[in-house]
Amino acid sequence: MREPFLKLRGICKRFPGVVALDNVDLDVYSGEIHVLLGENGAGKSTLIKILTGAYQKDAGEIIIDGKEVQIRTPREALQLGISCIYQELNLIPHLSVAENIFLGREPKLLPALGIIDLKDRYKRSAALLKELGCAVSPGVKVKDLGLGKQQMVEIAKALSLNARLVIMDEPTSSLSEKEVEELFRVVRQLKEKGIAIIFVSHKLEEIRQIADRVTVLRDGRKVATLARGEFDIEELIKLMVGRTLKEKFPKINVRRGREALRVEDIWTDTGLKGVSFSAYEGEVLGIAGLVGAGRTELARAIFGADPLRKGNIFIYGQRVDIKCPEDAIRAGLAFLTEDRKTQGLILGESVAFNITLAGIKQFRRWGFLDIRRQFETAEQLARDLKVKPLDIRRKARELSGGNQQKVVLAKWLCTRAKIFIFDEPTRGIDVGAKVEVYNLINQLLQNGAAVIMISSELPEILGMSDRILVMSEGRITGEFLREEATQEKIMKAATGGY
Amino acid sequence: MLKTVSEKAVKEPDIQAEGKINWKDLLYSLGALLGLILLSAVLTVLSPDFLTLNNLMNIARQSAINSLISVGMLLTILTAGIDLSVGSVLALSTVVMAILIIKLHVSPFIGVLAGLCLGAFLGFMNGILLTKLHLPHPFISTLGTMNIARGLALIVTGATPISGFPFSVQFLGAAFWGPIPVSFMLVLVVFIIFHLFLTRTTTGRYIYAVGGNPEAARLSGVPVERVLVIVYTLSGFMAAVAGLVLIGRVNAAYPLAGLGYELDAIAAVIIGGASFFGGVGTVWGTLVGALIMAVLRNGLNLLGVSADLQTVAIGAVIIGAVYIDVLRQRAINKGRR
Ligand SMILES: Nc1ncnc2c1ncn2[C@@H]1O[C@H](COP(=O)(O)OP(=O)(O)OP(=O)(O)O)[C@@H](O)[C@H]1O
Ligand SMILES: [Mg+2]
């Protein structure tokens, strides 16, 4: 049998109060797509960061090509042929694609003077991108590219570094379906070249499509490694969460109540062109559409995050004038943003701080905060949402991605809002926790809340919505009741055909 | 061994969560305190005059002005900003007090009140310039105010000092309560109030949120602009309060007072463990920072070090203190206890 490119033996990593990795072994072969799977906080990102030199392991061996190596810095990882494409991409937005690909390794015309060979750099960048089958000009600035294209630039960079192992941590979580297809095509191409690939995703359907082997982690321990053909989705879920999930979408039916929110003919500079709709108590209103259709912009406009150019908003029949998010919260709105790191969390502050930030006024007594009650409430919410580790004094930065998402959810539950706008509420959340989020939405409905759920995952939209709006280019191009909605109808509306 | 440790941590999250002490934070502020103790110990050995009641009270008095300015500066730095105008604001508000009280014979109470209000108003203007004109960084708006206030102070006084305040105005800066200078007691009271403000009020918590991530704060309903205006207003107000203490110390108001005070305040805040990137810092750290600066100046004086060399030493201490912070941060980030 062939030697694996990468062998990990007995890797351990501890953080104060948490064992992130406990004696993990892993083999990754050249030309293999190896998926890491596990619940939020299982240790996937930590394992990757140890491979890229971002963290140091406490114990264990890393063996590459049969030789034990030490990876102390990201630079050493690169020299060993390990490239990582992080979820928050490491590109410099104001530089061009070619500049980014060769950053720090510019081909020189006159090496002694450090003069860059611009033509050569351009040509080589173009060649790399062409090899990937990616239609991007090396001259454009990275900030003008969509996320999918930016990932391609990262991959081109990895290729130019002669990477032999490419690691991707949840690369597909914010990509459109088309972009995911494109990414998979390129990933398979890397595999053909004999590059080893480690791939992290919570989307089981994708894993079924692309994985050669899957390693499941649970609570920092390796549970199993299964080869293609040895696993099915049910089996993976069971290994991951330790039990079977009865229902992926635990939809309940609540009687539809009063009209909670009405939006009339909203126009904004961010691209909304006359949007009108209503949302009702006890109803999940799903909003589907392609990336860039204006769904997030709609949510932001309603919430006062972007100014309206024209249009009216009514809450329980009353016209409200929402100038800023503070007004929106006062009016009973909650808005869970899609990007938790930049818009959702104060990463350097504690979980308790983050959970109580939006609803902090309720803890005021005689002008001072009742810190005890504040902490008790935060703790209760963290417990309800099964935030792991359950330590509300921990900094938000120290939580795994999925647990950070739960903290953002908890923040809005803490406001006692009546109308919830969720923008991609289950992004980066594991299958088990997804069901918990859905149950929570159900609970909100039973308490008489109105829920608006923006999601790019059609199964989620179809599985949880009572009514579905479809957006395209800043307009609503379709509306379906739960009974009549199908993937095909939604896709048709999303691509512009009414 | 290790297993039991981790089991305990897993089994008893509640105790960990409810125990009042946050070790990391404690270590964080203790860092500067440790430095202060060490510095004092060294000076005690080097100079017999250092550890005397008289000298300690001297230090308390000398640190008062910088402490008062620093606590305002801390607020701005917590929001990832800065206030360069504090020294000039101090000067302008003191000369206005002097003109009102000494030249125009306004009642001292009204005169002082007017001076304090002027300080707050200048700070308020800093906040408005930042949030309403959307000047890109408070460095710019406060740099402008710094020059404007200084110029006005020179114009209204004709560039000459004014002296002869009644004792009631000098009280805060000149009086003693037993051996303890009133100015230092004022510092303690002010710091307790600011501590409560920052940790126990919504506005105080908002300040940390704005510094940590302004966009997330805004989307969580934090009135970011209002918070910034409050912060700069308080900073200006504290500069005027410090000016009142200065009046008591020198019994005069002069238009060139407070030159370079902004830099001393920034130094105290940073030595005290606050981060220039915002969101990190405590009033107690800042107090320790201000005391370190005062102890250092006092000690070097006792040792007969020239003023020029003192400046060099203080520069070195600033760099050293912040470097220690960097090291400590790195140790924390490595995830090791
Ligand atoms: N810098 C850190 N300091 C303290 N604890 C940390 C740190 N980074 C990660 N952890 C903890 O280590 C554990 C594993 O986290 P990790 O990010 O590897 O999870 P993950 O499998 O990537 O989860 P997700 O699917 O949610 O991204 C979690 O309990 C997390 O809280
Ligand atoms: Mg992760």
PDB file of all heavy atoms in Angstrom, chain A residues 305 325-326 329 342-343 345 353 364 368-369 371 393 398 411-412, chain B residues 13 17 24 200 202 205-206 209 213 216 218-221 226 335:
ATOM      1  N   ALA A 305     -30.599  49.665   8.751  1.00  0.00           N
ATOM      2  CA  ALA A 305     -29.142  49.647   8.610  1.00  0.00           C
ATOM      3  C   ALA A 305     -28.709  50.424   7.375  1.00  0.00           C
ATOM      4  O   ALA A 305     -27.626  50.985   7.339  1.00  0.00           O
ATOM      5  CB  ALA A 305     -28.631  48.206   8.544  1.00  0.00           C
ATOM      6  N   PRO A 325     -30.850  51.043  13.406  1.00  0.00           N
ATOM      7  CA  PRO A 325     -31.193  49.773  14.044  1.00  0.00           C
ATOM      8  C   PRO A 325     -31.794  49.943  15.441  1.00  0.00           C
ATOM      9  O   PRO A 325     -32.648  49.150  15.849  1.00  0.00           O
ATOM     10  CB  PRO A 325     -29.841  49.057  14.104  1.00  0.00           C
ATOM     11  CG  PRO A 325     -29.088  49.594  12.946  1.00  0.00           C
ATOM     12  CD  PRO A 325     -29.498  51.032  12.831  1.00  0.00           C
ATOM     13  N   GLU A 326     -31.361  50.980  16.135  1.00  0.00           N
ATOM     14  CA  GLU A 326     -31.901  51.205  17.473  1.00  0.00           C
ATOM     15  C   GLU A 326     -33.430  51.381  17.404  1.00  0.00           C
ATOM     16  O   GLU A 326     -34.166  50.823  18.212  1.00  0.00           O
ATOM     17  CB  GLU A 326     -31.252  52.447  18.066  1.00  0.00           C
ATOM     18  CG  GLU A 326     -31.404  52.557  19.554  1.00  0.00           C
ATOM     19  CD  GLU A 326     -30.997  53.934  20.053  1.00  0.00           C
ATOM     20  OE1 GLU A 326     -30.619  54.790  19.244  1.00  0.00           O
ATOM     21  OE2 GLU A 326     -31.074  54.143  21.265  1.00  0.00           O
ATOM     22  N   ILE A 329     -35.116  48.005  16.739  1.00  0.00           N
ATOM     23  CA  ILE A 329     -35.209  47.141  17.911  1.00  0.00           C
ATOM     24  C   ILE A 329     -36.329  47.627  18.811  1.00  0.00           C
ATOM     25  O   ILE A 329     -37.115  46.827  19.337  1.00  0.00           O
ATOM     26  CB  ILE A 329     -33.866  47.107  18.662  1.00  0.00           C
ATOM     27  CG1 ILE A 329     -32.826  46.387  17.808  1.00  0.00           C
ATOM     28  CG2 ILE A 329     -34.006  46.426  20.016  1.00  0.00           C
ATOM     29  CD1 ILE A 329     -31.420  46.502  18.322  1.00  0.00           C
ATOM     30  N   THR A 342     -18.095  39.929  11.192  1.00  0.00           N
ATOM     31  CA  THR A 342     -17.980  41.373  10.996  1.00  0.00           C
ATOM     32  C   THR A 342     -19.215  42.125  11.459  1.00  0.00           C
ATOM     33  O   THR A 342     -19.134  43.286  11.807  1.00  0.00           O
ATOM     34  CB  THR A 342     -17.715  41.719   9.524  1.00  0.00           C
ATOM     35  OG1 THR A 342     -18.808  41.216   8.753  1.00  0.00           O
ATOM     36  CG2 THR A 342     -16.447  41.099   9.025  1.00  0.00           C
ATOM     37  N   GLN A 343     -20.378  41.478  11.459  1.00  0.00           N
ATOM     38  CA  GLN A 343     -21.591  42.222  11.784  1.00  0.00           C
ATOM     39  C   GLN A 343     -22.332  41.703  13.000  1.00  0.00           C
ATOM     40  O   GLN A 343     -23.241  42.347  13.498  1.00  0.00           O
ATOM     41  CB  GLN A 343     -22.548  42.198  10.589  1.00  0.00           C
ATOM     42  CG  GLN A 343     -21.984  42.911   9.399  1.00  0.00           C
ATOM     43  CD  GLN A 343     -22.763  42.586   8.139  1.00  0.00           C
ATOM     44  OE1 GLN A 343     -23.893  42.137   8.202  1.00  0.00           O
ATOM     45  NE2 GLN A 343     -22.149  42.804   7.007  1.00  0.00           N
ATOM     46  N   LEU A 345     -20.830  39.881  15.962  1.00  0.00           N
ATOM     47  CA  LEU A 345     -20.209  39.704  17.274  1.00  0.00           C
ATOM     48  C   LEU A 345     -19.166  40.761  17.579  1.00  0.00           C
ATOM     49  O   LEU A 345     -18.536  41.313  16.685  1.00  0.00           O
ATOM     50  CB  LEU A 345     -19.503  38.343  17.319  1.00  0.00           C
ATOM     51  CG  LEU A 345     -20.396  37.118  17.355  1.00  0.00           C
ATOM     52  CD1 LEU A 345     -19.558  35.869  17.129  1.00  0.00           C
ATOM     53  CD2 LEU A 345     -21.124  37.021  18.680  1.00  0.00           C
ATOM     54  N   PHE A 353     -21.552  39.231  27.326  1.00  0.00           N
ATOM     55  CA  PHE A 353     -21.632  40.588  26.789  1.00  0.00           C
ATOM     56  C   PHE A 353     -22.364  40.580  25.456  1.00  0.00           C
ATOM     57  O   PHE A 353     -23.279  41.363  25.216  1.00  0.00           O
ATOM     58  CB  PHE A 353     -20.207  41.124  26.602  1.00  0.00           C
ATOM     59  CG  PHE A 353     -20.119  42.561  26.159  1.00  0.00           C
ATOM     60  CD1 PHE A 353     -19.832  43.555  27.067  1.00  0.00           C
ATOM     61  CD2 PHE A 353     -20.304  42.913  24.837  1.00  0.00           C
ATOM     62  CE1 PHE A 353     -19.727  44.881  26.672  1.00  0.00           C
ATOM     63  CE2 PHE A 353     -20.215  44.239  24.420  1.00  0.00           C
ATOM     64  CZ  PHE A 353     -19.928  45.219  25.352  1.00  0.00           C
ATOM     65  N   ARG A 364     -31.538  47.293  33.153  1.00  0.00           N
ATOM     66  CA  ARG A 364     -31.259  48.546  33.829  1.00  0.00           C
ATOM     67  C   ARG A 364     -32.179  48.720  35.025  1.00  0.00           C
ATOM     68  O   ARG A 364     -33.385  48.499  34.924  1.00  0.00           O
ATOM     69  CB  ARG A 364     -31.461  49.705  32.864  1.00  0.00           C
ATOM     70  CG  ARG A 364     -30.225  50.519  32.751  1.00  0.00           C
ATOM     71  CD  ARG A 364     -30.219  51.618  31.769  1.00  0.00           C
ATOM     72  NE  ARG A 364     -31.415  51.852  31.002  1.00  0.00           N
ATOM     73  CZ  ARG A 364     -31.436  52.676  29.977  1.00  0.00           C
ATOM     74  NH1 ARG A 364     -30.340  53.292  29.618  1.00  0.00           N
ATOM     75  NH2 ARG A 364     -32.538  52.886  29.299  1.00  0.00           N
ATOM     76  N   PHE A 368     -28.498  51.787  36.620  1.00  0.00           N
ATOM     77  CA  PHE A 368     -27.361  50.876  36.629  1.00  0.00           C
ATOM     78  C   PHE A 368     -27.770  49.492  36.157  1.00  0.00           C
ATOM     79  O   PHE A 368     -28.934  49.108  36.237  1.00  0.00           O
ATOM     80  CB  PHE A 368     -26.763  50.773  38.029  1.00  0.00           C
ATOM     81  CG  PHE A 368     -25.945  51.968  38.385  1.00  0.00           C
ATOM     82  CD1 PHE A 368     -26.480  52.984  39.163  1.00  0.00           C
ATOM     83  CD2 PHE A 368     -24.644  52.084  37.922  1.00  0.00           C
ATOM     84  CE1 PHE A 368     -25.723  54.100  39.469  1.00  0.00           C
ATOM     85  CE2 PHE A 368     -23.882  53.190  38.239  1.00  0.00           C
ATOM     86  CZ  PHE A 368     -24.421  54.201  39.014  1.00  0.00           C
ATOM     87  N   LEU A 369     -26.786  48.753  35.653  1.00  0.00           N
ATOM     88  CA  LEU A 369     -27.066  47.412  35.165  1.00  0.00           C
ATOM     89  C   LEU A 369     -27.128  46.440  36.336  1.00  0.00           C
ATOM     90  O   LEU A 369     -26.282  46.466  37.218  1.00  0.00           O
ATOM     91  CB  LEU A 369     -25.965  46.974  34.207  1.00  0.00           C
ATOM     92  CG  LEU A 369     -25.970  47.688  32.860  1.00  0.00           C
ATOM     93  CD1 LEU A 369     -24.704  47.336  32.091  1.00  0.00           C
ATOM     94  CD2 LEU A 369     -27.210  47.307  32.070  1.00  0.00           C
ATOM     95  N   ILE A 371     -26.112  43.309  37.029  1.00  0.00           N
ATOM     96  CA  ILE A 371     -25.203  42.380  36.357  1.00  0.00           C
ATOM     97  C   ILE A 371     -25.562  40.931  36.640  1.00  0.00           C
ATOM     98  O   ILE A 371     -25.450  40.055  35.802  1.00  0.00           O
ATOM     99  CB  ILE A 371     -23.761  42.700  36.771  1.00  0.00           C
ATOM    100  CG1 ILE A 371     -23.380  44.045  36.153  1.00  0.00           C
ATOM    101  CG2 ILE A 371     -22.811  41.629  36.296  1.00  0.00           C
ATOM    102  CD1 ILE A 371     -21.956  44.396  36.246  1.00  0.00           C
ATOM    103  N   ARG A 393     -18.314  33.498  30.229  1.00  0.00           N
ATOM    104  CA  ARG A 393     -17.251  34.484  30.383  1.00  0.00           C
ATOM    105  C   ARG A 393     -16.161  34.333  29.326  1.00  0.00           C
ATOM    106  O   ARG A 393     -15.273  35.167  29.204  1.00  0.00           O
ATOM    107  CB  ARG A 393     -16.615  34.356  31.764  1.00  0.00           C
ATOM    108  CG  ARG A 393     -17.486  34.977  32.817  1.00  0.00           C
ATOM    109  CD  ARG A 393     -17.066  34.611  34.211  1.00  0.00           C
ATOM    110  NE  ARG A 393     -18.087  35.052  35.120  1.00  0.00           N
ATOM    111  CZ  ARG A 393     -18.091  36.258  35.684  1.00  0.00           C
ATOM    112  NH1 ARG A 393     -17.141  37.114  35.438  1.00  0.00           N
ATOM    113  NH2 ARG A 393     -19.076  36.585  36.490  1.00  0.00           N
ATOM    114  N   GLU A 398     -13.068  32.787  21.038  1.00  0.00           N
ATOM    115  CA  GLU A 398     -12.572  31.452  21.355  1.00  0.00           C
ATOM    116  C   GLU A 398     -13.581  30.350  21.042  1.00  0.00           C
ATOM    117  O   GLU A 398     -13.302  29.185  21.248  1.00  0.00           O
ATOM    118  CB  GLU A 398     -12.190  31.378  22.840  1.00  0.00           C
ATOM    119  CG  GLU A 398     -11.034  32.285  23.189  1.00  0.00           C
ATOM    120  CD  GLU A 398     -10.818  32.407  24.690  1.00  0.00           C
ATOM    121  OE1 GLU A 398     -11.509  31.716  25.452  1.00  0.00           O
ATOM    122  OE2 GLU A 398      -9.958  33.204  25.081  1.00  0.00           O
ATOM    123  N   LYS A 411     -28.454  36.426  21.152  1.00  0.00           N
ATOM    124  CA  LYS A 411     -28.518  37.871  21.328  1.00  0.00           C
ATOM    125  C   LYS A 411     -29.895  38.389  20.937  1.00  0.00           C
ATOM    126  O   LYS A 411     -30.471  39.239  21.624  1.00  0.00           O
ATOM    127  CB  LYS A 411     -27.446  38.542  20.464  1.00  0.00           C
ATOM    128  CG  LYS A 411     -27.543  40.046  20.457  1.00  0.00           C
ATOM    129  CD  LYS A 411     -26.369  40.698  19.777  1.00  0.00           C
ATOM    130  CE  LYS A 411     -26.510  40.631  18.276  1.00  0.00           C
ATOM    131  NZ  LYS A 411     -25.384  41.279  17.601  1.00  0.00           N
ATOM    132  N   TRP A 412     -30.433  37.853  19.848  1.00  0.00           N
ATOM    133  CA  TRP A 412     -31.728  38.365  19.400  1.00  0.00           C
ATOM    134  C   TRP A 412     -32.879  37.791  20.205  1.00  0.00           C
ATOM    135  O   TRP A 412     -33.902  38.439  20.391  1.00  0.00           O
ATOM    136  CB  TRP A 412     -31.899  38.139  17.901  1.00  0.00           C
ATOM    137  CG  TRP A 412     -30.951  39.019  17.154  1.00  0.00           C
ATOM    138  CD1 TRP A 412     -29.895  38.625  16.389  1.00  0.00           C
ATOM    139  CD2 TRP A 412     -30.932  40.446  17.163  1.00  0.00           C
ATOM    140  NE1 TRP A 412     -29.216  39.721  15.915  1.00  0.00           N
ATOM    141  CE2 TRP A 412     -29.834  40.845  16.373  1.00  0.00           C
ATOM    142  CE3 TRP A 412     -31.723  41.428  17.756  1.00  0.00           C
ATOM    143  CZ2 TRP A 412     -29.518  42.181  16.163  1.00  0.00           C
ATOM    144  CZ3 TRP A 412     -31.406  42.754  17.538  1.00  0.00           C
ATOM    145  CH2 TRP A 412     -30.319  43.114  16.753  1.00  0.00           C
TER     146      TRP A 412
ATOM    147  N   PRO B  13     -18.921  23.797  34.975  1.00  0.00           N
ATOM    148  CA  PRO B  13     -18.878  25.053  34.232  1.00  0.00           C
ATOM    149  C   PRO B  13     -19.548  26.177  35.006  1.00  0.00           C
ATOM    150  O   PRO B  13     -19.197  27.331  34.877  1.00  0.00           O
ATOM    151  CB  PRO B  13     -19.639  24.748  32.949  1.00  0.00           C
ATOM    152  CG  PRO B  13     -20.496  23.578  33.267  1.00  0.00           C
ATOM    153  CD  PRO B  13     -19.825  22.836  34.365  1.00  0.00           C
ATOM    154  N   ALA B  17     -18.308  29.877  35.684  1.00  0.00           N
ATOM    155  CA  ALA B  17     -19.017  31.003  35.098  1.00  0.00           C
ATOM    156  C   ALA B  17     -19.421  32.023  36.147  1.00  0.00           C
ATOM    157  O   ALA B  17     -19.462  33.205  35.881  1.00  0.00           O
ATOM    158  CB  ALA B  17     -20.248  30.506  34.358  1.00  0.00           C
ATOM    159  N   LYS B  24      -7.788  35.968  33.640  1.00  0.00           N
ATOM    160  CA  LYS B  24      -7.089  36.577  32.518  1.00  0.00           C
ATOM    161  C   LYS B  24      -7.107  38.108  32.669  1.00  0.00           C
ATOM    162  O   LYS B  24      -6.094  38.760  32.526  1.00  0.00           O
ATOM    163  CB  LYS B  24      -7.777  36.166  31.222  1.00  0.00           C
ATOM    164  CG  LYS B  24      -6.804  35.548  30.227  1.00  0.00           C
ATOM    165  CD  LYS B  24      -7.475  35.371  28.903  1.00  0.00           C
ATOM    166  CE  LYS B  24      -7.698  33.897  28.623  1.00  0.00           C
ATOM    167  NZ  LYS B  24      -8.548  33.683  27.462  1.00  0.00           N
ATOM    168  N   ARG B 200     -21.139  49.383  34.731  1.00  0.00           N
ATOM    169  CA  ARG B 200     -22.490  49.171  35.224  1.00  0.00           C
ATOM    170  C   ARG B 200     -23.585  49.940  34.499  1.00  0.00           C
ATOM    171  O   ARG B 200     -24.734  49.899  34.927  1.00  0.00           O
ATOM    172  CB  ARG B 200     -22.566  49.546  36.710  1.00  0.00           C
ATOM    173  CG  ARG B 200     -21.745  48.659  37.622  1.00  0.00           C
ATOM    174  CD  ARG B 200     -22.280  47.268  37.556  1.00  0.00           C
ATOM    175  NE  ARG B 200     -21.476  46.347  38.314  1.00  0.00           N
ATOM    176  CZ  ARG B 200     -21.779  45.898  39.525  1.00  0.00           C
ATOM    177  NH1 ARG B 200     -22.860  46.318  40.114  1.00  0.00           N
ATOM    178  NH2 ARG B 200     -20.994  45.039  40.134  1.00  0.00           N
ATOM    179  N   THR B 202     -25.458  51.131  30.706  1.00  0.00           N
ATOM    180  CA  THR B 202     -25.545  50.707  29.308  1.00  0.00           C
ATOM    181  C   THR B 202     -24.575  51.514  28.449  1.00  0.00           C
ATOM    182  O   THR B 202     -23.867  50.953  27.623  1.00  0.00           O
ATOM    183  CB  THR B 202     -26.967  50.897  28.771  1.00  0.00           C
ATOM    184  OG1 THR B 202     -27.418  52.189  29.117  1.00  0.00           O
ATOM    185  CG2 THR B 202     -27.918  49.892  29.352  1.00  0.00           C
ATOM    186  N   ARG B 205     -21.131  50.140  28.749  1.00  0.00           N
ATOM    187  CA  ARG B 205     -20.938  48.889  28.001  1.00  0.00           C
ATOM    188  C   ARG B 205     -20.914  49.162  26.507  1.00  0.00           C
ATOM    189  O   ARG B 205     -20.200  48.509  25.761  1.00  0.00           O
ATOM    190  CB  ARG B 205     -22.039  47.869  28.335  1.00  0.00           C
ATOM    191  CG  ARG B 205     -22.165  47.509  29.813  1.00  0.00           C
ATOM    192  CD  ARG B 205     -20.843  47.269  30.474  1.00  0.00           C
ATOM    193  NE  ARG B 205     -20.214  46.012  30.106  1.00  0.00           N
ATOM    194  CZ  ARG B 205     -18.912  45.764  30.240  1.00  0.00           C
ATOM    195  NH1 ARG B 205     -18.105  46.692  30.693  1.00  0.00           N
ATOM    196  NH2 ARG B 205     -18.419  44.613  29.896  1.00  0.00           N
ATOM    197  N   TYR B 206     -21.727  50.120  26.085  1.00  0.00           N
ATOM    198  CA  TYR B 206     -21.750  50.473  24.659  1.00  0.00           C
ATOM    199  C   TYR B 206     -20.378  50.958  24.194  1.00  0.00           C
ATOM    200  O   TYR B 206     -19.976  50.736  23.064  1.00  0.00           O
ATOM    201  CB  TYR B 206     -22.781  51.571  24.398  1.00  0.00           C
ATOM    202  CG  TYR B 206     -24.220  51.126  24.409  1.00  0.00           C
ATOM    203  CD1 TYR B 206     -25.258  52.045  24.466  1.00  0.00           C
ATOM    204  CD2 TYR B 206     -24.562  49.776  24.337  1.00  0.00           C
ATOM    205  CE1 TYR B 206     -26.590  51.652  24.454  1.00  0.00           C
ATOM    206  CE2 TYR B 206     -25.880  49.371  24.328  1.00  0.00           C
ATOM    207  CZ  TYR B 206     -26.900  50.309  24.390  1.00  0.00           C
ATOM    208  OH  TYR B 206     -28.200  49.928  24.371  1.00  0.00           O
ATOM    209  N   ALA B 209     -18.459  48.113  23.258  1.00  0.00           N
ATOM    210  CA  ALA B 209     -18.992  47.498  22.046  1.00  0.00           C
ATOM    211  C   ALA B 209     -18.559  48.285  20.808  1.00  0.00           C
ATOM    212  O   ALA B 209     -18.140  47.709  19.811  1.00  0.00           O
ATOM    213  CB  ALA B 209     -20.513  47.412  22.126  1.00  0.00           C
ATOM    214  N   ASN B 213     -16.279  46.433  17.858  1.00  0.00           N
ATOM    215  CA  ASN B 213     -16.755  46.203  16.491  1.00  0.00           C
ATOM    216  C   ASN B 213     -17.922  47.153  16.231  1.00  0.00           C
ATOM    217  O   ASN B 213     -19.068  46.842  16.541  1.00  0.00           O
ATOM    218  CB  ASN B 213     -17.201  44.738  16.345  1.00  0.00           C
ATOM    219  CG  ASN B 213     -17.600  44.422  14.912  1.00  0.00           C
ATOM    220  OD1 ASN B 213     -17.804  45.319  14.087  1.00  0.00           O
ATOM    221  ND2 ASN B 213     -17.713  43.142  14.606  1.00  0.00           N
ATOM    222  N   ALA B 216     -21.015  45.778  14.177  1.00  0.00           N
ATOM    223  CA  ALA B 216     -21.847  44.837  14.933  1.00  0.00           C
ATOM    224  C   ALA B 216     -22.602  45.581  16.025  1.00  0.00           C
ATOM    225  O   ALA B 216     -23.765  45.282  16.309  1.00  0.00           O
ATOM    226  CB  ALA B 216     -20.984  43.730  15.541  1.00  0.00           C
ATOM    227  N   ARG B 218     -23.617  48.718  15.963  1.00  0.00           N
ATOM    228  CA  ARG B 218     -24.703  49.482  15.363  1.00  0.00           C
ATOM    229  C   ARG B 218     -25.881  48.573  15.046  1.00  0.00           C
ATOM    230  O   ARG B 218     -27.041  48.887  15.334  1.00  0.00           O
ATOM    231  CB  ARG B 218     -24.208  50.140  14.072  1.00  0.00           C
ATOM    232  CG  ARG B 218     -25.175  51.134  13.466  1.00  0.00           C
ATOM    233  CD  ARG B 218     -24.509  51.889  12.324  1.00  0.00           C
ATOM    234  NE  ARG B 218     -24.530  51.133  11.091  1.00  0.00           N
ATOM    235  CZ  ARG B 218     -25.486  51.266  10.156  1.00  0.00           C
ATOM    236  NH1 ARG B 218     -26.463  52.122  10.345  1.00  0.00           N
ATOM    237  NH2 ARG B 218     -25.456  50.542   9.072  1.00  0.00           N
ATOM    238  N   LEU B 219     -25.586  47.409  14.480  1.00  0.00           N
ATOM    239  CA  LEU B 219     -26.658  46.483  14.120  1.00  0.00           C
ATOM    240  C   LEU B 219     -27.288  45.839  15.345  1.00  0.00           C
ATOM    241  O   LEU B 219     -28.298  45.162  15.237  1.00  0.00           O
ATOM    242  CB  LEU B 219     -26.127  45.415  13.160  1.00  0.00           C
ATOM    243  CG  LEU B 219     -25.756  45.944  11.776  1.00  0.00           C
ATOM    244  CD1 LEU B 219     -25.075  44.873  10.948  1.00  0.00           C
ATOM    245  CD2 LEU B 219     -26.994  46.459  11.052  1.00  0.00           C
ATOM    246  N   SER B 220     -26.654  45.986  16.495  1.00  0.00           N
ATOM    247  CA  SER B 220     -27.274  45.497  17.726  1.00  0.00           C
ATOM    248  C   SER B 220     -28.036  46.610  18.414  1.00  0.00           C
ATOM    249  O   SER B 220     -28.418  46.473  19.571  1.00  0.00           O
ATOM    250  CB  SER B 220     -26.206  44.959  18.682  1.00  0.00           C
ATOM    251  OG  SER B 220     -25.509  43.901  18.085  1.00  0.00           O
ATOM    252  N   GLY B 221     -28.217  47.726  17.734  1.00  0.00           N
ATOM    253  CA  GLY B 221     -29.008  48.802  18.307  1.00  0.00           C
ATOM    254  C   GLY B 221     -28.232  49.776  19.157  1.00  0.00           C
ATOM    255  O   GLY B 221     -28.823  50.597  19.847  1.00  0.00           O
ATOM    256  N   ARG B 226     -24.082  58.654  19.107  1.00  0.00           N
ATOM    257  CA  ARG B 226     -24.331  59.294  20.395  1.00  0.00           C
ATOM    258  C   ARG B 226     -23.262  58.889  21.402  1.00  0.00           C
ATOM    259  O   ARG B 226     -22.752  59.710  22.170  1.00  0.00           O
ATOM    260  CB  ARG B 226     -25.723  58.910  20.914  1.00  0.00           C
ATOM    261  CG  ARG B 226     -26.201  59.860  21.992  1.00  0.00           C
ATOM    262  CD  ARG B 226     -27.534  59.428  22.593  1.00  0.00           C
ATOM    263  NE  ARG B 226     -28.448  58.852  21.629  1.00  0.00           N
ATOM    264  CZ  ARG B 226     -29.353  57.913  21.938  1.00  0.00           C
ATOM    265  NH1 ARG B 226     -29.424  57.462  23.167  1.00  0.00           N
ATOM    266  NH2 ARG B 226     -30.161  57.442  21.024  1.00  0.00           N
ATOM    267  N   GLY B 335      -3.010  30.029  24.105  1.00  0.00           N
ATOM    268  CA  GLY B 335      -3.934  29.121  24.744  1.00  0.00           C
ATOM    269  C   GLY B 335      -3.299  28.325  25.863  1.00  0.00           C
ATOM    270  O   GLY B 335      -3.774  27.268  26.244  1.00  0.00           O
TER     271      GLY B 335
END
